[in-house]
Every structure is written in structure tokens, then in C-alpha cells.
Amino acid sequence: MGATRGRSVGGVGGGEEAEAAEVAEVAAGAEAAGAPGMAKSSGENGPHAPATAGSLSGTRENLAQGPDAATADELSSLGSDSEANGFAEHRIDKFGFIVGSQGAEDALEEVPLDVLRQRESKWLDMLNNWDKWMAKKHKKIRLRCQKGIPPSLRGRAWQYLSGGKVKLQQNPGKFDELDMSPGDPKWLDVIERDLHRQFPFHEMFVSRGGHGQQDLFRVLKAYTLYRPEEGYCQAQAPIAAVLLMHMPAEQAFWCLVQICEKYLPGYYSEKLEAIQLDGEILFSLLQKVSPVAHKHLSRQKIDPLLYMTEWFMCAFARTLPWSSVLRVWDMFFCEGVKIIFRVGLVLLKHALGSPEKLKACQGQYETIEQLRSLSPKIMQEAFLVQEVVELPVTEHQIEREHLIQLRRWQETRGELQCHSPPRLHGAKAILDAEPSPRGALQPSPSIRLPPDVPLASSKAKPKLSTQAQKEQKKHKIASGNLDKVPAPSQATAVTTGGDACAPQDMTLKDPASQDPVPQDSAPQDLAHHCSQESLTSQESEDTYL
């Protein structure tokens, strides 16, 4: 098990030969010795990038500095880290990967533009009224996560679903405090060695010492200070890297905290007891989902840790095509670890679930290779998501099996040494478990008006032009009622978002009865609702696609 812990990567440094030897050693060790090493599967996005000469220094300030300060400043002003590393002439796909660096994928599932815009509008409404939606329409949120979160709002949605947004609000300045702390040297050295291995052909991480690797270092170092008893585990690096592709470092840190503490508690502890326990749970559930695959793995005496460790600990970020990774993560943040179990079961079922597929898996080695070289059809986005949604594995079944396997563990191995908090199944459970009372999540508007500009919700009547005053006076004289006629410019007030809303001080009418409705019976939050129709964000989170 030591191959997975960050502290065990002591011999890995610079040079292509050392890295190739390490990959071969980890792969061979996982097969022969049964160690759940974090060897890269063939489905990962791009091969390892060779380490370059020099070493990162262990502090954020030195990470940004090069041999020449002027050169460093020039590189830091480039549009992306891919330009700084000489990849500017290569094309970048819509996910940020250099075209041609990944294995050939099937055609991506393209969402029509009008459908995408409708989904964005619906998600904006949900995010602007998040607590109400979670309290009353959680099933609708789940269905929309299964359809896929719009790319422009994915990072923000992950923060709300995971509770990372609440954590950030409850701990203002905490990340900055951790970021400025020096950190434990035993973890800093290991983290630095792992930085260049995380998606080396993504434009954000392609440059050694670039902005992406700096932020990844900051997030991982901050977690070792936040949870010193856990420290650093290699499998946390790809998790943090995926988060950084969608949000700033501070938000990514709190989402990582939620994953480690709420979604996958105990996964990254020293003994890896939680992942071993979940391996037994997965194997037991496989007997119900695919008896053929279960029988084959039992006959070959293949421990679940040999094939599921990287799947679960990295949440399939290093296994599936990228479009499938994002869809799986959308559902994972909403529904919890149940999704990870379902994906694992679907892969096992379709890779080993028929006699025809088992013909090429006569031995243990062939079976492991089959699971490491999964068919692209199995991992294709539309097929995989449909299979995962339809697979009848519930939270209740997982928890029931957890109790059974925990009892067996205690009978054969004694008590667990890692006392992690109970696992929470998804966004609703996390929201319910947050300490109360707390303020509702209210995003701040991205469009700010000067103080002297009246808002639509203000009860102060706007100053009318001379022509408007004349028209108002004529209208009042004609009607014979000078008190109840609203000013023409007050009939419709336009908010910063461009939507028309009735001002608070207007007399409303019930369309059914045509009778005036008393002013105090109007909705209290009418003007507030109108002002929330514009695209809102906090700080820079909406700039991350």
C-alpha cells in the first residue's frame, strides 16, 4: 500500500529514465505483489511528461521565479502555460488539452446551442436561489446534473453542490493563512515531484513552474497544513488538478476538503483502510450486478485493490475520456460515492461480464490488462452515463454492505485504525449536515451601479423629464384622479439585467378579479428577484469555464 502514499515516492526525480523505471516498477509491483500503486492507466489523458532539469523550491514565491527575473515576468504575462513551454503552435481542444496528446476518442456528445442556453438559464436560476432549490426541488437538481452541468457554470455548481462555497464563507481568510505558511518540508518535496505528472498535456499544467503547477502546489500544501494528520497522498493531486481547471485556488482547496472529508473520508489516510473496505463492498455488489465477472475474478483470486484503487481514489479522472470524466463528476458531486461505485460496476460488467470477453482473460495478468485497457465504447460518454443512471445500486445497499464488510474486517483484522467521519451521500446530505443557523447563499451581483443611480427596488420616485411631467399632468387632469395614477416612467422599471419588473410602490391588480391588491400583500422579494436576474458571481469564479 505504500506505493500510493506520497511519502513513498522518494526515488522519483528528474530524468526520463528514472520516471520510466518508476512506472514499470509500480505497474509490475501492482500485479505481482498486490500493491495498489497509482500506476497510470492507458485511459489517462496523455502520457507522463519527462521531468526537466532543476527543482521547484517549496514556496510559492520561488516557484514563480526563474534564473532571470525579466524572463519570468515575460513568461507570466503569456496567455497560457502552453505558450511558455513552446506549445503555442499546437491546437487546443475545448477541454484545454493539446490536440493529439490523448488517445483517440469517439465523437463527443455535442449539445445544441439553444439547448445549452436553456440549461444555462435554468442553472443560473438554481444557483441564485440555491437553498430554496435544495430544500424543495432536490430531485430536479439531480436530474439536471445527470443531463450535464453547462460548462460555463460547472465550477460554480461544483462549489455549491459540494458545500465548498459554504466552507469558504465560514472560514474567511483561512486559505490565505495556510498559503502563506511555510509547510512541512517532508510533504513539500514529495508534492513538488508530483506536479509535472498531473495532466502534462493540458495547457494549464504543461509548463513546469507555470501558473497551473503553482496553484496545484498551493492547494496541496495548504491541505497538508489543514489536515496534518493525513498529510499528502498522490491520488489527491489529480483531484485538485481537475478542480483547478474549473475554479480559482481558494475555491478548489475547499472543494478538495469536502471531497476528502465528506465524499471519500479515509481514502487518503496512511493505511488506506477506507479504500480497502470499499473494494470489498464493490466486489460484493458485483455478484448481484454481474455474476459472470464476479465468478471470474474470484477464480483468478484478483484482489479488488489491483483494479479499483486508482478508479476510486482519483474519481476516474485518470481512467475515462475527459468528456466522460466531467459527466461522472457532475453526478458524483450531486449524488455522492454511489456514482463512483456504479461506474466501477458498469466497467467491470462490460469488460468481464460475458463468456466471449473472458476468452482473452485466461490468467490473472491478462485480466488485469483487460481492465487497464478498457474498450473506448464502454467509456464513451453517452453510453456510460446511461448505464450509470440505470444501474440499480442505491445508497441503502451500499451502506448495508458497508456494515457487513466492516463486521468481517473487525472479526479478521481487528478495529480500524483510521477513525474518519461518516460518509455523506451527496449534496443534500452535506447541506443537511452543515451547522445551523447559517446565512443563505447569496451571490453578489457582477454588475454594480454607482451610488447615485436609483435602483428599481428603491421607493424613491425617479426624477422625470420636463416632457414626461407635462404628459403626467395631462393624464391626471383627464382622469380626475391625481393620487392613484402612476407616472409613465414608473409603470415599468428595468433592472441591471435588462428584465422589466414592477416597482415596489406600485398598486398591483389581481388579473382574475380586476380588484386592486393591497400593497402589503405583494411579494416581499419581488424587486429582489428582479435584481437577481442578471448573471451573478463572487470574485472571479464565473470567469472559469
Side-chain angles (χ1 to χ4, degrees):
M1 259 65 78
T4 309
R5 291 296 299 171
R7 59 169 61 89
S8 304
V9 197
V12 181
E16 299 180 15
E17 296 179 0
E19 186 169 359
E22 182 226 358
V23 172
E25 180 182 354
V26 173
E31 294 165 6
M38 297 305 300
K40 182 177 177 62
S41 70
S42 60
E44 184 181 352
N45 296 291
H48 285 311
T52 57
S55 173
L56 301 180
S57 64
T59 62
R60 181 182 56 169
E61 293 80 4
N62 290 329
L63 276 173
Q65 295 177 1
D68 189 333
T71 304
D73 292 339
E74 183 180 350
L75 292 179
S76 66
S77 66
L78 293 175
S80 71
D81 288 342
S82 61
E83 297 178 20
N85 218 37
F87 286 97
E89 67 275 10
H90 290 270
R91 291 189 299 115
I92 306 296
D93 68 11
K94 68 177 184 178
F95 300 119
F97 289 94
I98 298 171
V99 175
S101 63
Q102 305 182 67
E105 297 181 11
D106 293 340
L108 299 177
E109 182 184 5
E110 294 292 344
V111 180
L113 187 60
D114 56 338
V115 175
L116 184 61
R117 292 293 175 259
Q118 291 177 4
R119 291 182 181 177
E120 287 178 339
S121 177
K122 293 175 181 178
W123 270 96
L124 276 173
D125 177 62
M126 290 196 304
L127 294 172
N128 291 339
N129 303 278
W130 186 252
D131 289 332
K132 295 180 181 178
W133 275 84
M134 285 296 293
K136 299 180 180 180
K137 299 181 180 180
H138 177 254
K139 291 183 178 179
K140 179 67 73 174
I141 294 178
R142 185 182 65 197
L143 291 175
R144 290 179 179 176
C145 286
Q146 291 174 355
K147 292 180 180 179
I149 301 173
S152 60
L153 298 171
R154 179 168 273 128
R156 187 173 161 196
W158 285 358
Q159 294 175 48
Y160 278 64
L161 288 165
S162 67
K165 181 82 169 179
V166 175
K167 276 284 190 181
L168 190 152
Q169 293 180 350
Q170 291 175 342
N171 298 274
K174 182 66 175 177
F175 176 75
D176 293 333
E177 175 189 337
L178 298 172
D179 190 25
M180 299 306 296
S181 301
D184 190 335
K186 73 175 182 180
W187 296 128
L188 300 183
D189 183 56
V190 179
I191 292 173
E192 287 175 1
R193 292 192 190 127
D194 283 346
L195 293 179
H196 70 282
R197 300 190 191 135
Q198 312 312 321
F199 309 106
F201 288 100
H202 190 278
E203 63 173 348
M204 188 173 180
F205 303 104
V206 70
S207 176
R208 185 169 179 84
H211 299 292
Q213 291 193 14
Q214 288 183 48
D215 282 347
L216 182 58
F217 178 86
R218 295 169 59 203
V219 170
L220 296 174
K221 184 198 78 171
Y223 188 82
T224 64
L225 295 170
Y226 186 75
R227 286 287 178 263
E229 68 280 3
E230 255 187 38
Y232 166 68
C233 176
Q234 286 181 330
Q236 290 172 317
I239 296 286
V242 176
L243 294 172
L244 284 170
M245 293 177 193
H246 295 84
M247 62 192 77
E250 183 174 17
Q251 285 88 336
F253 168 75
W254 289 114
C255 283
L256 176 65
V257 168
Q258 291 296 91
I259 291 174
C260 296
E261 294 185 352
K262 304 292 176 63
Y263 287 88
L264 307 173
Y267 267 36
Y268 310 104
S269 60
E270 185 173 2
K271 301 296 183 181
L272 300 180
E273 292 176 323
I275 193 71
Q276 295 181 60
L277 202 59
D278 276 2
E280 299 299 329
I281 296 173
L282 176 71
F283 191 60
S284 179
L285 293 173
L286 181 63
Q287 187 173 14
K288 303 171 185 176
V289 173
S290 177
V292 174
H294 181 272
K295 183 179 179 181
H296 176 77
L297 293 171
S298 299
R299 185 169 57 249
Q300 297 293 337
K301 295 182 172 58
I302 298 177
D303 191 285
L305 291 178
L306 290 177
Y307 53 83
M308 57 80 64
T309 303
E310 186 174 88
W311 291 359
F312 277 51
M313 294 186 73
C314 299
F316 295 96
R318 292 173 50 148
T319 304
L320 301 174
W322 199 248
S323 59
S324 301
V325 170
L326 297 179
R327 294 291 300 277
V328 167
W329 277 47
D330 290 345
M331 296 185 290
F332 168 64
F333 275 117
C334 182
E335 302 180 60
V337 76
K338 169 180 66 178
I339 298 300
I340 303 298
F341 275 101
R342 286 185 179 182
V343 174
L345 291 169
V346 168
L347 297 181
L348 290 170
K349 173 185 175 182
H350 289 280
L352 305 173
S354 67
E356 294 77 15
K357 294 174 181 176
L358 293 179
K359 290 180 180 179
C361 305
Q362 298 301 319
Q364 188 179 87
Y365 175 81
E366 291 80 7
T367 302
I368 294 294
E369 284 302 307
Q370 178 86 343
L371 294 177
R372 287 182 176 172
S373 305
L374 295 167
S375 168
K377 179 183 177 181
I378 301 175
M379 301 185 292
Q380 196 269 335
E381 176 187 353
F383 175 82
L384 180 64
V385 170
Q386 188 67 25
E387 289 288 315
V388 168
V389 170
E390 295 178 352
L391 195 69
V393 174
T394 64
E395 299 165 7
H396 176 73
Q397 289 176 306
I398 293 174
E399 286 306 311
R400 179 177 176 275
E401 197 60 44
H402 177 84
L403 295 176
I404 295 173
Q405 297 301 329
L406 181 61
R407 193 180 307 116
R408 293 179 181 174
W409 180 290
Q410 292 171 342
E411 292 173 355
T412 58
R413 312 187 196 184
E415 294 294 329
L416 292 173
Q417 297 183 22
C418 175
H419 300 285
S420 57
R423 178 159 52 199
L424 298 179
H425 289 272
K428 189 69 167 68
I430 291 174
L431 180 68
D432 294 341
E434 290 294 338
S436 183
R438 62 176 177 83
L441 290 174
Q442 291 293 343
S444 57
S446 59
I447 302 177
R448 303 181 184 276
L449 298 177
D452 56 339
V453 177
L455 299 177
S457 59
S458 174
K459 292 187 178 182
K461 296 181 179 180
K463 186 177 180 180
L464 304 178
S465 64
T466 305
Q467 184 65 25
Q469 290 177 357
K470 290 181 180 180
E471 292 178 0
Q472 181 187 34
K473 186 174 182 180
K474 291 179 181 179
H475 187 68
K476 288 182 178 180
I477 295 174
S479 62
N481 189 345
L482 300 179
D483 297 326
K484 296 185 179 180
V485 177
S489 61
Q490 284 180 283
T492 304
V494 181
T495 67
T496 58
D499 298 317
C501 304
Q504 283 185 333
D505 55 346
M506 282 185 58
T507 302
L508 304 179
K509 287 188 178 183
D510 185 349
S513 62
Q514 299 299 322
D515 294 330
V517 179
Q519 180 178 348
D520 57 0
S521 67
Q524 295 293 327
D525 59 345
L526 178 60
H528 173 72
H529 172 75
C530 295
S531 66
Q532 290 294 330
E533 292 295 325
S534 62
L535 180 65
T536 58
S537 65
Q538 179 167 343
E539 299 177 349
S540 60
E541 63 184 76
D542 270 356
T543 65
Y544 283 71
L545 301 182

